[in-house]
Amino acid sequence: MHSLDKFGMRHLQIYTAIETIVSHGSIRAAAYTLSISPSALNRQILAFEQDLGIELFDRVASGVRLSTAGEIYFQQFRAHVAELERAKTRVADLAGLRMGHVSIAASIELCAHFLPSQILRYREEFPAVSFSVISVAPGGEVDLLMAYRADLALVVQPDLSDTIQVLSSADRPLCGIYSTGERAPPTDPDRIEMMLEADLALPAPHLASRGRIDGLLRRRRLTVKPSLELEGPIDPPETGERALMQLWPLDDVPPRIARARNARLLQMRFLGVPSVRVVLAQRAGRPLPVAAVKFAGQIDQHLAQAAPDGP
């Protein structure tokens, strides 16, 4: 038997044609399916048979059928195509182009802007990769990682355990989103009185960043009662007599809010530039899909390059 190596990639098209002929039992019917003339398809088959030195098909009254030698070659064709597909998949994996899926367990604080923007950025380069995001309360990421329901976890202020492997971490600033409504903006924004005089919007009590904020306020001996408790930043109001102060992790403040006409991002120096720890993790010892590895590298690069001391 001749080795198929001599034919290689250039005969993938004829392999498809042969399989179509086999499935239809007719060169004419196969030609119609392949949008080619029967005479042209027949010439391709005859030329290929000449390369092989055998007749692939027996011509019968009802059409064509594989010859005994053709049966053997046909199985080799299928195996060859399967090997090429496997090689294509491995090469695609190396290039990060695989049509894969990445599942991420994420703190609610990172789901308004940060994580969606990172996913969209990744998909600009690798559009064949899809994502699913499961928002979790503190600690919820562990169960998802251990049950293989999430490849990665991107969380705020996690409680780490031996079952979780940290891939990247960084202290990221909390910022104040101060919107004045109809009032004139303050001349000295870094005053604690400014926060006390405004309606205060804080992350909801079940969010990890809220625990960080409450701890900072206690250390500063500040007693404040929030007017709003939220799971994500809101658009600054255009009108109103009172100012609104939101405290939120900087990375998850959408650009439309940061650029709002009557909003300012503040470093909150009067609180000592508070920060939250953002951690990217996986289940310890688990080999990750290539797409997840590449996405984790993108997140790691962002956290490493982001300024550590606020907006």
Side-chain angles (χ1 to χ4, degrees), residues 2 48-55:
H2 295 278
F48 191 55
E49 288 177 330
Q50 185 175 2
D51 282 345
L52 292 174
I54 58 98
E55 290 187 355

Side-chain angles (χ1 to χ4, degrees), residues 9-304:
M9 294 287 289
R10 69 188 180 93
H11 282 301
L12 281 177
Q13 185 176 5
I14 197 68
Y15 296 163
T16 301
I18 291 170
E19 186 159 17
T20 305
I21 293 171
V22 171
S23 65
H24 285 79
S26 163
I27 290 178
R28 181 174 295 278
Y32 180 80
T33 300
L34 296 170
S35 299
I36 187 175
S37 70
S39 59
L41 179 57
N42 191 52
R43 285 195 299 271
Q44 291 180 18
I45 297 299
L46 290 173
F48 191 55
E49 288 177 330
Q50 185 175 2
D51 282 345
L52 292 174
I54 58 98
E55 290 187 355
L56 289 170
F57 292 99
D58 293 328
R59 276 67 176 176
V60 295
S62 59
V64 295
R65 65 187 180 197
L66 286 169
S67 65
T68 301
E71 289 276 4
I72 297 172
Y73 270 99
F74 184 59
Q75 297 304 318
Q76 290 295 314
F77 297 158
R78 282 184 162 176
H80 187 52
V81 170
E83 284 295 325
L84 289 172
E85 286 299 319
R86 283 192 286 270
K88 182 179 177 182
T89 299
R90 289 195 294 268
V91 170
D93 277 348
L94 292 174
L97 300 176
R98 182 172 179 169
M99 294 179 64
H101 182 78
V102 182
S103 57
I104 307 169
S107 292
I108 296 170
E109 296 99 315
L110 301 175
C111 291
H113 169 68
F114 175 53
L115 188 52
S117 67
Q118 290 293 320
I119 290 172
L120 292 176
R121 176 186 161 197
Y122 183 93
R123 282 178 46 79
E124 286 178 359
E125 187 174 0
F126 305 113
V129 177
S130 60
F131 287 80
S132 60
V133 176
I134 309 170
S135 60
V136 294
E141 71 281 354
V142 175
D143 290 341
L144 293 174
L145 290 174
M146 298 307 295
Y148 294 92
R149 291 182 57 200
D151 302 310
L152 300 169
L154 185 66
V155 289
V156 173
Q157 298 290 123
D159 292 325
L160 301 176
S161 69
D162 294 339
T163 61
I164 304 303
Q165 177 184 349
V166 174
L167 302 175
S168 181
S169 66
D171 288 326
R172 300 297 299 133
L174 285 164
C175 72
I177 310 168
Y178 186 79
S179 50
T180 58
E182 296 176 346
R183 301 176 56 185
T187 56
D188 182 11
D190 287 335
R191 294 182 303 108
I192 197 167
E193 290 80 13
M194 183 186 64
M195 183 178 73
L196 299 177
E197 293 169 359
D199 288 332
L200 185 62
L202 296 181
H206 62 277
L207 303 185
S209 56
R210 174 62 179 273
R212 179 70 169 142
I213 292 170
D214 287 345
L216 289 164
L217 294 174
R218 284 194 299 270
R219 287 196 293 274
R220 295 287 299 180
R221 297 181 180 178
L222 297 174
T223 301
V224 295
K225 182 178 181 180
S227 302
L228 294 168
E229 294 178 322
L230 309 166
E231 289 195 342
I234 60 174
D235 291 322
E238 292 291 334
T239 60
E241 292 296 325
R242 290 181 58 82
L244 176 67
M245 169 74 83
Q246 304 180 61
L247 296 184
W248 206 253
L250 171 64
D251 285 310
D252 216 46
V253 178
R256 73 176 189 279
I257 292 180
R259 294 194 296 262
R261 178 181 58 83
N262 64 334
R264 299 183 66 175
L265 293 186
L266 307 178
Q267 290 188 1
M268 312 301 291
R269 290 189 180 93
F270 51 78
L271 289 179
V273 192
S275 64
V276 294
R277 175 147 292 249
V278 177
V279 172
L280 178 68
Q282 68 166 87
R283 174 176 173 151
R286 177 189 175 184
L288 289 176
V290 171
V293 172
K294 290 189 71 66
F295 184 69
Q298 177 182 304
I299 297 294
D300 177 64
Q301 184 180 39
H302 173 87
L303 294 177

